[in-house]
Amino acid sequence: MTEAAALSPETVMRQMKQNGVTDIVWLPDSETNWLFLLMQADPDLRLVGVTREGHACSIAAGLFAGGKKPMILIQNTGMMESGDSIRGWLMGLKVPIVLMVGYRGYTRHGVNTDTAATYTERFLMAFGIPFYLVENDGDADRISIAFKEAEKIQGPVVVLVGDEYHGFNR
Amino acid sequence: MMYTAEVLKVFERHRGDSIVISGRGGKHWMAISDTVMDIPLGDPAMGGHSGFGLGLALAQPGKKVVLFDSEGDILMSMGQLATIAEQAPANFYHFILDNEVYATTGGQPVPNSKHVDYAMIARGAGYPRAYNYSELDQFSAELSGILSKPGPVFVALKVWPEVENTPIGQRVRWRKRSSDKVVSDVRAALGAA
């Protein structure tokens, strides 16, 4: 069986553009080096770097209030640290937004040894946040599905990027 | 020390058509102005108001965005100051009401409450202009000049604490609109909805 291509940063960028993203509020993680370079080179995309992931939620809420379409790009560790900000600034203010979350520790083939991965989906289920797993380019349309769902529910939807170990980093 | 209500009355004379995120001054600001360009959010999650103000200012560069934040919020999210300074929105005016305590939980002092120089911290994070005021006369005299120059600007105001000790469930709710309604109202007013 042929494996689908790894998730490429170009594919993620294409999804962002197709869905009208204007601003990326983000904190670097180990999945996104190449995506950063592409985003930085795009004159139509504003990058707002934060120092702690929870800050991204209120910034994104403010951008939304002012008519922009932000996306949040963080790692699962930071997402869990951001619980109260997700609750208050995104769910409470009914901000339709996609969070692309690096799924640190995820592996579909072996035994998980990273508690960051252990608690990621449990966290999302506890908060009632819909989520989609994206592992390679063949899954990319799930990103657009997440954007549509965020609009439908007027709240946050998470795309888990399960690609830490192959390709997205080059 | 100043009274928050007096500070806001002074500001109201210079408000113009700015968007006002009333933050920790919300209860008093509502008595002064409650239009769709006033954004009383209560406390969605402590430490986040400065981020919300930044986002709104970036999204609406043609409008002045004024935020009344607090020292407790700043201490909780000090890194936001570096993010704001890096983005450098020229239309963002960041005031903090520094009452030196956590007023809504009974008035316990914030860490090192008497000795933190918030304007110095803001300058250190990269704000081009930052000020401290503790006297209403001086603040009144200089506010017009502060607002006439581009942001981001940071203004720390020493105010008397207004401590609440009644159980949260028994407190009088001063907001007339839910937080999400406030956001949808301002989006509609800005043509974003």
Side-chain angles (χ1 to χ4, degrees), chain B:
Chain B
M1 284 281 196
M2 300 175 278
Y3 288 99
T4 297
E6 291 179 353
V7 164
L8 295 175
K9 280 178 191 162
V10 168
F11 166 73
E12 196 269 339
R13 298 200 292 267
H14 304 276
R15 183 240 176 104
D17 65 352
S18 59
I19 304 172
V20 177
I21 306 163
S22 49
R24 300 293 170 185
K27 186 168 61 176
H28 293 297
W29 183 252
M30 182 154 279
I32 295 171
S33 180
D34 185 22
T35 72
V36 290
M37 290 302 193
D38 298 299
I39 305 186
L41 294 174
D43 189 12
M46 191 170 176
H49 270 104
S50 57
F52 185 88
L54 169 65
L56 187 53
L58 291 174
Q60 291 288 326
K63 288 215 170 282
K64 268 186 183 166
V65 174
V66 177
L67 165 65
F68 287 94
D69 209 353
S70 82
E71 89 287 6
D73 288 89
I74 292 292
L75 289 171
M76 194 173 273
S77 292
M78 217 171 263
Q80 290 273 34
L81 298 178
T83 295
I84 292 166
E86 181 180 58
Q87 296 295 323
N91 58 331
F92 186 46
Y93 296 82
H94 189 178
F95 294 79
I96 68 160
L97 301 165
D98 171 14
N99 61 12
E100 301 181 355
V101 300
Y102 296 109
T104 58
T105 60
Q108 305 90 336
V110 303
N112 210 18
S113 58
K114 303 258 180 223
H115 306 290
V116 179
D117 185 333
Y118 295 100
M120 184 182 287
I121 290 170
R123 273 194 294 274
Y127 277 66
R129 293 185 298 128
Y131 308 91
N132 286 314
Y133 291 101
S134 58
E135 300 299 327
L136 191 65
D137 288 348
Q138 190 188 5
F139 174 64
S140 299
E142 296 180 15
L143 180 58
S144 175
I146 289 169
L147 292 170
S148 68
K149 292 176 187 159
V153 63
F154 185 93
V155 183
L157 305 165
K158 280 282 185 192
V159 296
W160 293 107
E162 296 171 27
V163 174
E164 295 184 74
N165 268 323
T166 52
I168 288 175
Q170 293 174 20
R171 292 178 194 172
V172 176
R173 294 191 176 272
W174 51 267
R175 289 193 299 143
K176 296 172 186 165
R177 296 176 287 161
S178 64
S179 298
D180 61 291
K181 178 72 164 63
V182 168
V183 170
S184 66
D185 285 350
V186 75
R187 278 174 57 81
L190 294 169

Side-chain angles (χ1 to χ4, degrees), chain A residues 96-115:
Chain A
I97 188 165
V98 168
L99 296 85
M100 282 199 74
V101 175
Y103 201 161
R104 198 191 87 181
Y106 171 79
T107 173
R108 68 188 306 193
H109 299 296
V111 177
N112 167 41
T113 57
D114 187 341
T115 56

